[in-house]
Amino acid sequence: MKGLAALLKKELKEQVRTNRIIIVAGVFLFFGLATPLMYRYLPELLALAGDDMGSILPPPTAMGAMAEYASTMVQFGVLVIVLVAMGAISRERESGTAALVLSKPAGYTAFVVAKFKAIGATTLIGTILGGLACWGYTYILFEEAPVWGFFCQNALLLLYLLLTIAMTLLFSSLFRRQLTAGALGLVSIIVLSIASGLPWFGKYLPGELVSWGNYLLVDEPTSAAWGAVAVTLVFIILSLYLAGTILQKKEI
């Protein structure tokens, strides 16, 4: 892809210059620390407040805290990534920067892939920091924390977030309005997640990645969701390809 290295260097600098990498890392780190803490002491807080729910909830465990962290990141992590990626292309089209960049020897697909890799690198750093914080704090609170299962769970979570980036970039190439791109990107991920609960083909959709991660965490016997991994990778590649094709045919 023509000009990918130069474009990637530019996008990485942009992630640092706009403090996006700090914001994403900070949010992920916050949830990595806060989720085990809230999960551990929620029954006691409810009991102190006079709520009977505290006695009904099952005893908190290390695996439960880590599963709760994954669930939190699927909600708030996805939202953060959508906010970061929704204006990556549409904002540059609106300001005219995209036309300036693409007037140089740089391919449209390379333009999209560079943004995907830069935002993906930011997401990777955030996932690592949030995961380490969650694992460490879980170990402190519960004096146990599975390593391999949690690593696999976070790897699958990262793949899910990368899909969020790719699909948001696709809509960002379609629409000049950032809010439209972000809303459609978020809705598409929610729809795929809900569709994962359907019989027959639901087990091959990206939402199955989260379920598989939770099974790996508690080491329960289950069929591997490699089909969902393959479909997610196809969705990512297809989204990036379509985004580049759309930009090539649209008036930048």
Side-chain angles (χ1 to χ4, degrees):
M1 286 178 282
K2 187 183 297 184
L4 177 60
L7 288 171
L8 179 57
K9 184 178 180 180
K10 166 189 169 294
E11 293 298 331
L12 290 172
K13 287 183 178 179
E14 185 74 9
Q15 294 292 308
V16 176
R17 186 183 65 82
T18 57
N19 294 323
R20 291 191 184 100
I21 189 169
I22 296 177
I23 294 171
V24 171
V27 171
F28 280 41
L29 187 61
F30 169 78
F31 284 116
L33 293 171
T35 302
L37 183 65
M38 288 298 298
Y39 178 80
R40 169 64 179 83
Y41 292 108
L42 180 60
E44 296 179 21
L45 291 174
L46 291 174
L48 288 173
D51 195 326
D52 293 336
M53 282 295 296
S55 59
I56 300 175
L57 292 175
T61 63
M63 279 70 74
M66 291 178 167
E68 187 66 25
Y69 168 72
S71 177
T72 301
M73 294 311 300
V74 166
Q75 299 174 49
F76 295 101
V78 165
L79 180 59
V80 170
I81 296 305
V82 167
L83 291 174
V84 170
M86 68 182 188
I89 297 176
S90 57
R91 182 175 55 250
E92 292 202 15
R93 288 180 60 199
E94 187 176 358
S95 64
T97 308
L100 179 63
V101 172
L102 292 172
S103 65
K104 300 178 180 181
Y108 289 86
T109 303
F111 179 74
V112 175
V113 171
K115 292 185 177 297
F116 173 76
K117 287 188 173 183
I119 301 174
T122 296
T123 305
L124 173 62
I125 293 172
T127 303
I128 291 173
L129 289 176
L132 288 175
C134 178
W135 186 91
Y137 214 18
T138 299
Y139 186 82
I140 292 172
L141 292 171
F142 298 95
E143 297 184 350
E144 62 170 332
V147 177
W148 177 245
F150 188 60
F151 171 80
C152 294
Q153 183 192 49
N154 276 266
L156 293 170
L157 175 63
L158 176 62
L159 182 59
Y160 191 81
L161 294 176
L162 291 177
L163 173 65
T164 303
I165 299 171
M167 298 197 73
T168 305
L169 287 176
L170 171 60
F171 289 112
S172 187
S173 69
L174 272 169
F175 303 98
R176 288 182 178 271
R177 293 180 61 86
Q178 298 182 44
L179 289 179
T180 303
L184 290 175
L186 184 60
V187 168
S188 63
I189 291 297
I190 293 174
V191 169
L192 285 174
S193 179
I194 294 174
S196 298
L198 297 175
W200 302 106
F201 67 90
K203 63 182 180 180
Y204 298 106
L205 294 180
E208 188 67 17
L209 298 176
V210 182
S211 299
W212 187 25
N214 289 334
Y215 281 121
L216 291 172
L217 184 64
V218 296
D219 200 24
E220 289 187 8
T222 180
S223 57
W226 290 112
V229 172
V231 170
T232 302
L233 291 173
V234 169
F235 277 170
I236 291 174
I237 295 171
L238 186 60
S239 296
L240 297 178
Y241 172 77
L242 289 176
T245 303
I246 290 168
L247 282 178
Q248 193 169 9
K249 294 182 177 180
K250 275 183 172 288
E251 181 183 350
I252 303 297

